Amino acid sequence: MIALVAGLSHSLLVGGPPTRTGGARCASSPCMAESPRKLRVGLVGGGTVGGGIVTILEGARELQASLGVDVEIATICVRDKAKPRDFPLPAGCAVVDDVEEILGDGSIDLVCEVMGGTTLAKEVVMRSIADGKHVVTANKALIAAALPELQEKLAEANAKQVLGSEGKFGFEAAVCGGIPIIHALQRDFLGDEVSQLSGIINGCTNFILSNMAQGGLSYSDALKEASALGYAEAAPRRRRLATRHPPRHTSPPHAASPRLLADPTLDVGGFDARSKLKILIKLAFGTDVGERVGGRGTVKLLGVAKRDGGDPRAAPPLPSLTPPPLVFRRDGDRLSAFVSPCFVPTSNTLASISGATNAVQIGSANLGSTVLVGQGAGRLPTANSCVSDILDI
Ligand SMILES: NC(=O)C1=CN([C@@H]2O[C@H](COP(=O)(O)OP(=O)(O)OC[C@H]3O[C@@H](n4cnc5c(N)ncnc54)[C@H](OP(=O)(O)O)[C@@H]3O)[C@@H](O)[C@H]2O)C=CC1
Ligand SMILES: N[C@@H](CC=O)C(=O)O
């Protein structure tokens, strides 16, 4: 079994951000308010994840009522208004192609950014926070690149209390799609000391590798299927879809340009997993690591797509007694982190994680080993995390 694995180990105490409150569906009185609180949402992005958010929210009217909230998706901003959508548009919802129609709309309470990229998306998130709007995003590239800046902007806006109440910022979907790993690190491990994180945190590459190993698919067929299922990241249209001779990037391709086809470079190159790992390191240890390859203070990176054509079957089989690849030596305060395909012995939990499923193993002082497993990519799992953040506002 081979899997794209991301791991790190560290011996410092967690210094994560403040906890968020609320969250679980509740049956207590605040949720049973007589008239539901209206939440007007501006959705920036109506693709794989955006469509899932609309689908889940529109199908959850009763749940919303039980929570005392009425979410109205007022506006959806997309790149191409004329493109047919593969989800039903909510009644009265405007579809626009200019983000100003959301950013400049003072009646919108919450902006949900699911367009991707780190330029326009950053502007959308920063401005929305500054204007006192709540913000939810699934954008790991942005969170990895700018979390401290975004949190600073949030603190600044909340200090001014633009709307008279605290703005909230949720990004649960940014790591491992549907698995609640962000909330777990923000809330549930606050009293613990995390010493190690490891696991499979990119659904696209795990889908490719397991379909090659178990389904007998070729690398390019598995990759095409992963793209068609919405697992692959968007990347510039000028890049080729297949990566038989993949690019030798030392930094991720600029992901803000429009795409016609999903280009999995961010996935198979390991960049997406590295962004997620960077976010997890920040939450677990309060430490910022760089995203350049090599050198101190960076995450070592080896993608699935290698110069051998990206076919992991080209590698020689390892003996069955190969130790788990995620054993780290502690070395004082040093943190070591890497993203790499690894052979995993069949006795290891990670060996049974196939398809777009992700798994994160958290090693900590009080709990020992905790494993979170679930769908790490795709429409509904990812949208579910966004919806949970929206309903948590
Ligand atoms: N897919 C997944 O499994 C997961 C995705 N994510 C993250 O979620 C985000 C969205 O991903 P996903 O839904 O897959 O991406 P898609 O490419 O499917 O959707 C992107 C959407 O954004 C719109 N868009 C793109 N550029 C612009 C622009 N300049 N102005 C207005 N609208 C624009 C597109 O419009 P149009 O439809 O007209 O082209 C499209 O509706 C990304 O940050 C991704 O990393 C996170 C976890 C899992
Ligand atoms: N491309 C990503 C999508 C979710 O984060 C993945 O495959 O994991």
Side-chain angles (χ1 to χ4, degrees), residues 371-389:
V371 184
L372 299 181
V373 179
Q375 288 304 297
R379 171 166 273 185
L380 292 181
T382 309
N384 191 67
S385 290
C386 295
V387 168
S388 126
D389 277 339

Side-chain angles (χ1 to χ4, degrees), residues 138 140 173-177 201-205 230-233 267 272 276 356 358 376-378 382:
K140 50 276 171 105
V175 179
C176 295
I201 59 176
N202 181 273
C204 179
T205 47
Y231 302 151
E233 291 301 306
D267 296 289
D272 175 78
K276 291 167 176 168
N358 284 189
T382 309

Side-chain angles (χ1 to χ4, degrees), residues 19-380:
T19 181
R20 303 172 67 214
T21 53
R25 186 184 310 196
C26 71
S28 58
S29 49
C31 299
M32 309 301 280
E34 277 167 19
S35 61
R37 189 168 55 95
K38 191 104 181 158
L39 195 64
R40 276 173 62 80
V41 172
L43 191 60
V44 184
T48 303
V49 182
I53 293 170
V54 175
T55 305
I56 295 177
L57 281 172
E58 290 302 298
R61 289 278 151 213
E62 258 181 49
L63 167 62
Q64 291 185 36
S66 78
L67 292 171
V69 68
D70 175 11
V71 181
E72 179 194 346
I73 300 172
T75 310
I76 302 178
C77 178
V78 292
R79 187 173 36 217
D80 178 2
K81 280 197 296 186
K83 188 160 121 185
R85 299 289 145 190
D86 60 355
F87 55 91
L89 287 173
C93 172
V95 178
V96 303
D97 57 9
D98 180 357
V99 284
E100 283 305 324
E101 300 207 34
I102 289 180
L103 297 179
D105 183 345
S107 75
I108 285 181
D109 306 299
L110 184 149
V111 172
C112 182
E113 183 278 307
V114 283
M115 70 188 286
T118 51
T119 48
L120 183 56
K122 182 173 179 186
E123 198 185 320
V124 166
V125 170
M126 290 289 263
R127 266 186 63 189
S128 302
I129 291 175
D131 289 346
K133 293 181 165 80
H134 304 295
V135 174
V136 169
T137 179
N139 192 333
K140 50 276 171 105
L142 176 62
I143 297 294
L147 182 59
E149 203 184 330
L150 298 173
Q151 285 178 325
E152 207 175 295
K153 180 62 78 185
L154 182 68
E156 212 178 90
N158 281 342
K160 289 189 200 148
Q161 290 203 329
V162 179
L163 284 186
S165 65
E166 256 201 3
K168 288 192 176 172
F169 177 46
F171 54 96
E172 179 59 66
V175 179
C176 295
I179 301 179
I181 179 67
I182 301 279
H183 290 162
L185 289 175
Q186 285 179 325
R187 301 197 278 236
D188 306 324
F189 281 84
L190 280 180
D192 207 346
E193 183 179 351
V194 178
S195 57
Q196 178 176 313
L197 287 168
S198 54
I200 295 172
I201 59 176
N202 181 273
C204 179
T205 47
N206 202 48
F207 179 91
I208 292 171
L209 291 172
S210 55
N211 273 281
M212 290 174 71
Q214 293 151 24
L217 291 190
S218 68
Y219 175 79
S220 57
D221 283 349
L223 189 150
K224 272 185 209 144
E225 204 172 324
S227 299
L229 288 166
Y231 302 151
E233 291 301 306
R237 134 190 359 190
R238 67 179 177 278
R239 296 194 184 280
R240 287 173 302 149
L241 178 64
T243 50
R244 180 157 287 277
H245 297 291
R248 299 163 72 191
H249 302 301
T250 54
S251 55
H254 183 54
S257 312
R259 73 168 171 179
L260 292 179
L261 285 172
D263 176 339
T265 303
L266 286 166
D267 296 289
V268 297
F271 302 108
D272 175 78
R274 186 177 58 181
S275 293
K276 291 167 176 168
L277 182 56
K278 186 181 174 195
I279 297 169
L280 295 180
I281 292 172
K282 177 74 180 160
L283 295 180
F285 306 115
T287 303
D288 272 315
V289 293
E291 285 208 71
R292 285 186 313 113
V293 171
R296 290 171 73 88
T298 59
V299 179
K300 289 196 178 62
L301 177 70
L302 183 59
V304 165
K306 298 188 63 184
R307 291 187 69 74
D308 62 11
D311 187 346
R313 291 173 302 186
L318 295 185
S320 57
L321 283 180
T322 304
L326 309 178
V327 173
F328 295 88
R329 273 205 317 257
R330 284 185 176 187
D331 183 11
D333 284 348
R334 279 171 62 103
L335 179 153
S336 77
F338 71 89
V339 170
S340 171
C342 291
F343 280 96
V344 180
T346 45
S347 58
N348 188 289
T349 314
L350 295 182
S352 61
I353 306 299
S354 60
T357 306
N358 284 189
V360 186
Q361 263 169 340
I362 304 167
S364 66
N366 300 335
L367 296 187
S369 172
T370 304
V371 184
L372 299 181
V373 179
Q375 288 304 297
R379 171 166 273 185
L380 292 181

Side-chain angles (χ1 to χ4, degrees), residues 2-15:
I2 188 170
L4 182 68
V5 165
L8 69 96
S9 86
H10 192 40
S11 55
L12 290 181
L13 184 62
V14 175

